[in-house]
Amino acid sequence: MKQKHSRRLIRIFKPQPLRHRPAVTVVIPHYNYGQYLPVAVSSALDQTGVDIEIIIVDDSSTDGSIEVARRLAAQDDRITLVEHPENMRHIRTYNDGLSRATGDYVVLLSADDALTSNSLTRAVALMEAHPEVGLVYGAVEWFRGDLPPVKAGPVWWKIWPGEEWLRRSVRCGRNSIANPEVVMRRSVYEKTGGYDPDFPHAADMYMWLQAASFADVGFVGGSRQAYYRDHGQNMHSTEFAGATDDMTQVRDVYERFFARDGARLPSASRWLERSKRSVAREALLRAALLESTGSSHASAVALREFAQETCPQVVGSGAWRWTGLASRDTGLFGSRRLVRLVEGVRWKIRSRRQAAMGL
């Protein structure tokens, strides 16, 4: 008799306390961010129930920030400082720091970001209770200036089977994880091979896909897990100068993943085609936002062309017509004013859903 394939379900759990003190290594890559570094380090130390190791990797700072790093390392024996004699750029710096980790779990924390209090405790508790989970993340708090207070509700855990998380990620057509909120098993990180230098803007996304191909994915709900500093370069302001490059790397990440790491998955070819449609749609939605806000017509046109190249079937779709509407400035309902309003609401809903649900 032919055996039916059964898909494992997404599971929701009540958190369990840690039963011992796992070791966690927090790697903080650092280049000319001395003004932010003390906050990042302090946040990484503000964790109970786990043994923290911090590795600061200074990538040959030129503004005197190295003195800040040296002072922090001298103050606490849990902090190790690695000084690069020459600039190695960010991907090689990430991999250098993580290669030195000794903890059971690893975190990559940019020097201008921060962790929330006990975020590592919450994430590690999930993985300790569920050894099948190799990566855990949660919601982030975007901020400028000083760290804002964050409200914490009742904490809950969600666990996706790896293939289910991949399926939903393909439907997103974008990187749905910021980065500082991620905690990985060191064994899982090592199995991915580290950050891939072929994708300077999307190496983290490639790693998340790799991890989900051989481990389950967890989400800590009800609490912000990290702070992500907004330098005025998010999608609501000026980051679209390189938007096409970023979207191209997202597309290429999916292609690489399904050609290599995910090739064994039963739906690999179908998911790859779906990823192209999703990426094209995402590019068109970003183009519509650009056109409606008047941020960069040239970037919007480039995104539209990229979407057509990535998935020709997108031409004539609702998202395609929507970007055309965004470029018009006449009429009450046929103007970019309407598109700007709708797109503003869309991005807010997406942000809140992602914070609450993970995907």
Side-chain angles (χ1 to χ4, degrees), residues 244-271:
T244 306
D245 289 341
D246 290 343
M247 292 304 302
T248 298
Q249 290 209 10
V250 169
R251 180 192 63 190
D252 292 350
V253 158
Y254 281 126
E255 290 182 346
R256 169 78 67 82
F257 174 76
F258 286 113
R260 295 186 183 181
D261 314 84
R264 63 175 176 77
L265 297 172
S267 304
S269 59
R270 180 167 55 86
W271 285 2

Side-chain angles (χ1 to χ4, degrees), residues 61-268:
S61 293
T62 60
D63 68 344
S65 293
I66 186 61
E67 297 303 327
V68 177
R70 289 169 178 165
R71 184 175 67 252
L72 291 168
Q75 292 173 350
D76 197 311
D77 59 9
R78 292 173 293 178
I79 303 172
T80 299
L81 173 61
V82 177
E83 300 184 31
H84 285 173
E86 59 183 28
N87 188 270
M88 296 173 59
R89 306 299 298 271
H90 64 291
I91 296 295
R92 292 173 65 193
T93 297
Y94 298 170
N95 289 335
D96 180 31
L98 288 163
S99 71
R100 302 168 186 267
T102 64
D104 302 309
Y105 303 94
V106 295
V107 177
L108 183 74
L109 177 65
S110 295
D112 57 334
D113 296 331
L115 300 174
T116 58
S117 179
N118 291 330
S119 63
L120 302 186
T121 311
R122 293 186 290 270
V124 169
L126 190 160
M127 285 189 280
E128 286 286 298
H130 298 277
E132 73 277 12
V133 175
L135 178 155
V136 171
Y137 68 111
V140 299
E141 181 76 14
W142 290 61
F143 76 104
R144 295 187 183 186
D146 298 332
L147 295 183
V150 292
K151 295 180 180 179
V155 174
W156 50 273
W157 294 346
K158 175 190 287 188
I159 296 177
W160 288 277
E163 288 191 23
E164 179 62 19
W165 190 89
L166 286 170
R167 185 180 72 84
R168 295 183 179 226
S169 173
V170 163
R171 293 173 61 185
C172 288
R174 65 184 187 280
N175 188 356
S176 57
I177 300 178
N179 192 76
E181 72 274 32
V182 171
V183 183
M184 295 182 72
R185 292 187 190 275
R186 181 157 61 94
S187 59
V188 169
Y189 166 77
E190 291 171 348
K191 193 172 180 180
T192 68
Y195 285 84
D196 193 322
D198 288 345
F199 304 112
H201 303 301
D204 54 349
M205 177 183 172
Y206 186 28
M207 186 180 292
W208 315 149
L209 298 177
Q210 288 178 297
S213 71
F214 47 75
D216 289 350
V217 178
F219 181 81
V220 176
S223 176
R224 294 291 193 268
Q225 286 292 96
Y227 294 98
Y228 188 89
R229 188 179 297 275
D230 177 8
H231 291 283
Q233 299 296 313
N234 59 36
M235 67 179 57
H236 298 288
S237 50
T238 60
E239 81 119 351
F240 285 97
T244 306
D245 289 341
D246 290 343
M247 292 304 302
T248 298
Q249 290 209 10
V250 169
R251 180 192 63 190
D252 292 350
V253 158
Y254 281 126
E255 290 182 346
R256 169 78 67 82
F257 174 76
F258 286 113
R260 295 186 183 181
D261 314 84
R264 63 175 176 77
L265 297 172
S267 304

